[in-house]
Amino acid sequence: MSKATRRGGIPLYAAEEELHDTIVKKQGAFDRLIQSFAMLFEAGAAIELQTVVMRQNDINLRDCSTIATEMRWQTTSV
């Protein structure tokens, strides 16, 4: 499969580690998500961040929308 056709969806529930991990009920899930995001980006995959809007994360949604931009900058500047 070529880089152009690779696609992956990543569920992002919050832009803050503690809130994301609380929502998914798994400590370390946010860190693993960020690592996966970086690996997929570096591999040239088309990445789709998926967010479910809920009461727990509605205050954090704007931050969720910027995380992809921030991660792209971090992975390409290394």
Side-chain angles (χ1 to χ4, degrees):
M1 186 179 288
S2 72
K3 286 185 180 182
T5 59
R6 293 179 190 166
R7 185 179 187 117
I10 298 177
L12 174 66
Y13 291 95
E16 297 172 0
E17 179 180 359
E18 185 177 345
L19 180 56
H20 178 88
D21 289 359
T22 297
I23 291 170
V24 300
K25 299 178 181 169
K26 184 164 177 113
Q27 188 174 7
F30 183 83
D31 286 338
R32 183 153 184 209
L33 177 145
I34 297 301
Q35 291 170 359
S36 298
F37 182 93
M39 288 185 340
L40 286 167
F41 182 81
E42 291 296 325
I47 303 165
E48 179 180 284
L49 290 178
Q50 304 163 343
T51 302
V52 175
V53 180
M54 56 185 76
R55 287 187 181 133
Q56 290 171 288
N57 70 356
D58 65 353
I59 197 167
N60 197 258
L61 290 177
R62 181 163 282 147
D63 295 332
C64 287
S65 69
T66 62
I67 201 164
T69 303
E70 292 173 3
M71 281 303 302
R72 183 173 184 263
W73 176 81
Q74 289 176 7
T75 57
T76 58
S77 65
V78 174

